[in-house]
Amino acid sequence: MDVRQYLSRKGYHGDTSPTLDNLRAIHQAHMLTVPFENLSIHCGEEIILDLQLLYNKIVLKGRGGFCYENNGLFSWLLGQLGFNLKTVSAQVMNNTGEFTPEMAHLINVVSIDGDRWVADVGYGCAFRTPIRLAPDHEHPDVTGTYRLKQEGDTWFLQRKSKAKLDVDNYEATPDGIHKDDIKRESGEWVVLYKFTLQEHKLQDFSEMCSWAQRESPFFTGRPFCVLHLADGLITYMGRKLITTRYYETHLTKTTTVLDSDDAILAILWDMFRIKLENHLMVKE
């Protein structure tokens, strides 16, 4: 595995010394180039948490992945660059208001000059630069405003979105937005996930990674692929392409229906530079 090749995959050619500015730049470069996607699950490809396999998929084949893949390989990269970090488990808030089991989400916490920063390049529509691990510190981002709340040893990531969307569009992006969860786009603080600082290894997530591929309704329901743009977000999901544009106080969404498998494959290449090796099964 080659660090420079991985950085080139992100389009990053800047300084790599373990500073906060460089962490921010490398994190954002990932968000703008490596998709959050579940296409392997719908192509019959098993996802195994082996760093070489993740490297081959994301770097050599130009693919993306879900949290275990994107954040798992990102953790390796940061370690190679000299950053001090640990991998922790998070539990995502689902559309019923309940948290997923432990190990359902993987994030990294990076320590720099006495401060700690949450780095997460595997959530989909989320912050583009790391968030300082401090209670009630607001973190403005293109996608909204984020903050962390602390209760004992548990931290809660919250987001306040910019504007309320039309309800018909609520299921457009695979980041926990659902039709029956209007608060997520109404300017109120909403919990995205919670976590503690207990350290884990990548292999500790293997059981939940297997469960996600076989039983999670979120990942097994419809294929999706999400990539950040300079001023928005582009999302392929099922037979739709959704383009989100962010403005200072609001956002807009444009939906295009993809009426054939060929149209889906064309979008995956044109918009995400993804060429699949196996047949993509699209559930209606």
Side-chain angles (χ1 to χ4, degrees):
M1 298 190 294
D2 185 280
V3 167
R4 290 296 169 185
Q5 192 173 22
Y6 184 12
L7 291 170
S8 180
R9 161 75 176 96
K10 297 169 179 283
Y12 184 81
H13 305 285
D15 184 24
T16 59
S17 56
T19 67
L20 178 57
D21 285 344
N22 292 341
L23 175 63
R24 286 169 169 159
I26 295 169
H27 191 286
Q28 179 163 276
H30 185 111
M31 300 293 281
L32 294 172
T33 55
V34 181
F36 172 67
E37 49 110 328
N38 70 343
L39 302 177
S40 289
I41 296 172
H42 297 271
C43 289
E45 301 164 356
E46 185 175 8
I47 299 168
I48 300 173
L49 297 186
D50 175 87
L51 283 174
Q52 184 65 65
L53 295 177
L54 301 184
Y55 179 91
N56 293 347
K57 178 181 178 181
I58 294 173
V59 178
L60 301 184
K61 297 180 181 180
R63 290 281 302 277
F66 57 6
C67 68
Y68 307 118
E69 300 171 280
N70 283 347
N71 279 326
L73 192 60
F74 193 64
S75 173
W76 171 82
L77 173 67
L78 295 182
Q80 292 295 304
L81 295 178
F83 286 93
N84 178 19
L85 75 151
K86 61 181 177 180
T87 296
V88 304
S89 163
Q91 298 173 259
V92 179
M93 176 76 77
N94 62 29
N95 63 318
T96 65
E98 300 177 342
F99 286 102
T100 55
E102 280 281 0
M103 318 299 284
H105 187 51
L106 183 159
I107 62 175
N108 293 298
V109 178
V110 186
S111 298
I112 301 175
D113 296 332
D115 286 323
R116 292 174 293 183
W117 301 83
V118 178
D120 187 353
V121 296
Y123 187 76
C125 179
F127 49 90
R128 300 185 179 194
T129 58
I131 295 179
R132 186 160 67 94
L133 189 72
D136 303 314
H137 176 76
E138 294 194 5
H139 179 91
D141 186 86
V142 174
T143 59
T145 303
Y146 297 82
R147 72 181 180 189
L148 291 165
K149 303 290 285 186
Q150 185 178 17
E151 294 182 11
D153 294 332
T154 303
W155 293 84
F156 296 81
L157 174 67
Q158 298 180 328
R159 176 174 63 199
K160 182 168 63 174
S161 297
K162 291 185 176 182
K164 182 177 180 181
L165 294 178
D166 182 74
V167 174
D168 290 340
N169 287 331
Y170 270 31
E171 60 177 358
T173 58
D175 70 328
I177 295 178
H178 300 270
K179 288 183 177 180
D180 58 351
D181 198 355
I182 296 175
K183 287 185 179 180
R184 290 188 183 270
E185 293 295 345
S186 64
E188 296 184 30
W189 289 104
V190 176
V191 174
L192 301 186
Y193 56 73
K194 67 177 181 178
F195 62 94
T196 68
L197 298 179
Q198 180 180 347
E199 186 170 10
H200 293 279
K201 297 179 180 179
L202 180 61
Q203 292 303 318
D204 294 341
F205 295 86
S206 292
E207 182 176 348
M208 282 303 295
C209 179
S210 178
W211 174 84
Q213 297 174 67
R214 293 166 175 79
E215 299 182 43
S216 167
F218 177 70
F219 289 113
T220 63
R222 285 179 292 180
F224 62 73
C225 188
V226 184
L227 185 65
H228 286 248
L229 307 172
D231 63 346
L233 196 75
I234 189 163
T235 303
Y236 156 70
M237 178 175 280
R239 294 196 177 276
K240 294 181 181 180
L241 179 72
I242 304 100
T243 302
T244 306
R245 299 290 180 185
Y246 294 100
Y247 300 92
E248 185 173 352
T249 59
H250 67 285
L251 58 83
T252 63
K253 285 181 182 284
T254 303
T255 301
T256 302
V257 176
L258 307 175
D259 56 7
S260 69
D261 289 352
D262 287 342
I264 293 172
L265 296 179
I267 284 295
L268 289 176
W269 176 251
D270 292 343
M271 300 296 183
F272 303 96
R273 311 314 287 177
I274 286 179
K275 185 175 182 180
L276 298 175
E277 297 177 328
N278 295 297
H279 178 66
L280 179 68
M281 296 292 295
V282 182
K283 297 178 182 179
E284 301 293 342

